[in-house]
Structures are given as structure tokens and as C-alpha cells.
Amino acid sequence: GVAYVFLDVLASEFTTVFLSWLIEYTSSMDLFAVTLIVFFVGMILFMLPPIPGLPIYLTGGIVLVSVGRDTLGVWGGIGYACAVSLFLKL
């Protein structure tokens, strides 16, 4: 019981800190590189049972829209982030 709660809290806090770092790290990269990073990090995090999907989708939405805004526009970036998240989920 105690070990499960400890791992659950530790995993959620570590995920939040890691994804915040990822947002900062990828803010100056191009769209293709950021898409690959978000996809592979998302796949790894989806394989871990205590990690919920919401932080992964929020990070993808924040990173992909902010990086893709210059080339795709705001609505194109939102659509692109939705498509990448859908592909990641499937």
C-alpha cells in the first residue's frame, strides 16, 4: 500500500517536472525534430502504467502549437498537435 502510493506520487511529480523541462528544451527547435521528440517521449511514457495521458497531451499541445505557429499558423498548429496526439494514442 505505502509503496504503491509512494511510486504513484513520485511518478506523477517526476512526469510533470520532466515534461516542463522538455517544453523548455524544445522551444527553439524545428517542427520535425520536436514532433519526433514528442512522439517518442509520448510512446515511452504511455508504456509506463502509473503515467496518465493528460500531461503527455498537454505537453504535445503546448510544444507543437508554439513551434508550429510560425509555419502553420495558430489553427494549423492546433490541428497538427491534435493529429500527432491522435496518432500517438493509436
Side-chain angles (χ1 to χ4, degrees):
V2 174
Y4 174 76
V5 171
F6 178 73
L7 287 175
D8 190 40
V9 170
L10 184 66
S12 66
E13 293 300 319
F14 173 73
T15 302
T16 304
V17 170
F18 172 71
L19 292 177
S20 298
W21 172 81
L22 185 67
I23 291 169
E24 183 68 29
Y25 182 74
T26 58
S27 63
S28 62
M29 295 181 167
D30 65 332
L31 185 60
F32 181 72
V34 171
T35 302
L36 287 178
I37 291 171
V38 167
F39 181 77
F40 286 116
V41 167
M43 288 299 291
I44 291 169
L45 290 177
F46 270 130
M47 299 291 178
L48 301 173
I51 307 297
L54 183 63
I56 301 167
Y57 296 135
L58 285 174
T59 301
I62 292 169
V63 170
L64 292 173
V65 172
S66 66
V67 171
R69 182 179 5 172
D70 296 334
T71 57
L72 302 173
V74 173
W75 291 107
I78 292 171
Y80 184 74
C82 289
V84 170
S85 295
L86 178 67
F87 186 70
L88 181 63
K89 175 84 172 177
L90 297 177

